Every structure is written in structure tokens, then in C-alpha cells.
Amino acid sequence: MLLYAQTPARRSRQILADLIAVLLIAAAVWFALAVHDAIMLLAEPGRKVESSGDSLAAALEDAGETASRVPLVGDLLKTPFRSAADAGSGLADAGQSLQDTVGQVAFLAALGLIVVPVALVLLLWLPLRLRWIRRSAAIRRLLDAPGGTDLLALRALTGPPGDLATIPAPPGGLADAWRRGDRQAISALSGITLRRAGLRS
């Protein structure tokens, strides 16, 4: 199975198309990751809020524990500190929630920026490459089969007429030479079909 044409011009075009496809995919991935990182910067306030909330809750818990040691009124003093510590924990939870939301948005944005361009590139490029690979394999099988050269010559006769002008026409024309089984004309005609496919005989 051939992945690239055997003729230099066609092979160069295929390699160039493959490189462009790979570069476009790499650029899409790079851009998506850059967007992801930029969106994740929005999570920084959430991290600060979470850190401040945790610090405040810890400080208030410590103050509550200290206040609880005051004789007679310790339990009464501890309750407001505990309530304030719970509020600090709620603040930390809000910061964490903001970070989670920003992370999800960043992930979905990056995923969309990767999937859509990559799918578009693959839809435009991959079918053409696969079709050429299948067609070249079919032509090679046909060339190796009995009577395959005759069929390739017929394909050249029924294809675009421009290439037919490149070979000398025998008396009676190329079609007549093909019908008569003229091996030289058939070989020249099958060579046209092979060159059109980017193959060599």
C-alpha cells in the first residue's frame, strides 16, 4: 500500500498538504491551551478568597477555643466565634466553587477550540488522502491483473483528452489501436492513467 505518490510533483503536493494539516492541528491545540490558561487566570480571585476564608475560619476557631477557657462565660463567648468561623468556611467554599466553575469553562472552551478545527481539518484532508490511497491500490491491483493494462488504457481513452495529445497517434487513432490490441499504444495509454494517479508503471 502506497501512502504517497511515486511521481515527484504529486508526492510533493501530498507531503505539503500533510504538513499543512499537521501544522493546523498543532496550532489549534496550542491556541486552545493558551485560551485555557488565560481563562484559568480568572480563578485566581477564587483561590485568594478560598485562602482568606480558610485563614479567617482557622483564626476564629482558635479565638473561640481561647475564649472557651474563660471561666463561667467561656461557652457563651465561644458561640459567636464558631458562627463567624462557619461564615469564613462558607467564604472559602464560595472561592472553591468559583475556581471549579472557571475550570469547567476553561476545559469546555479548550475542548471546543480543539475539536472543531481538528474535525474540520480532518474532514477536508483525510478523505482525500484515504481516497487516493484506495484508488492507487486499486490501480496497482488492476495493473498486475490479467488484462489490467488494457483496462488502464481504456480508462485513459475515456478520461480527459488533454493527456492523449502527449503520445503519438498511430494510423486509425488511439481508440482503433486499443481495439486492435496494439501493445505499444496500450502501454502508452496505461502510462497516462498511472501518471494521472501519481504512479509509475
Side-chain angles (χ1 to χ4, degrees):
M1 180 180 69
L2 292 174
L3 295 179
Y4 291 99
Q6 294 172 319
T7 55
R10 183 104 181 224
R11 183 172 56 241
S12 298
R13 288 195 301 272
Q14 288 174 335
I15 291 172
L16 181 61
D18 289 356
L19 287 174
I20 290 172
V22 170
L23 288 175
L24 287 174
I25 290 171
V29 171
W30 176 84
F31 180 70
L33 293 177
V35 169
H36 178 274
D37 292 344
I39 293 174
M40 285 305 294
L41 292 176
L42 299 175
E44 186 60 30
R47 280 189 284 275
K48 289 180 178 176
V49 168
E50 181 186 13
S51 176
S52 299
D54 286 337
S55 298
L56 179 62
L60 290 170
E61 283 284 347
D62 290 343
E65 289 300 321
T66 302
S68 70
R69 295 190 199 108
V70 174
L72 301 176
V73 293
D75 287 338
L76 292 175
L77 291 175
K78 183 178 182 180
T79 302
F81 283 109
R82 182 172 290 165
S83 298
D86 290 342
S89 296
L91 190 63
D93 291 342
Q96 181 61 52
S97 177
L98 175 62
Q99 291 176 74
D100 293 342
T101 301
V102 170
Q104 289 174 356
V105 170
F107 173 75
L108 291 174
L111 185 65
L113 289 171
I114 289 173
V115 169
V116 172
V118 168
L120 189 61
V121 169
L122 291 178
L123 284 173
L124 293 174
W125 163 75
L126 195 57
L128 295 175
R129 290 291 288 123
L130 293 176
R131 186 171 64 191
W132 183 87
I133 290 170
R134 283 195 308 269
R135 189 168 45 128
S136 66
I139 289 174
R140 294 298 298 183
R141 281 195 305 272
L142 190 59
L143 180 65
D144 295 336
T149 307
D150 292 350
L151 291 174
L152 292 178
L154 178 61
R155 188 169 185 173
L157 284 172
T158 57
D163 293 332
L164 297 179
T166 62
I167 58 175
L174 290 170
D176 182 60
W178 175 80
R179 279 192 298 270
R180 286 186 286 106
D182 184 327
R183 298 321 302 168
Q184 186 175 357
I186 288 173
S187 177
L189 288 168
S190 66
I192 289 175
T193 299
L194 291 170
R195 281 193 301 278
R196 283 177 185 162
L199 302 173
R200 292 187 180 132
S201 54

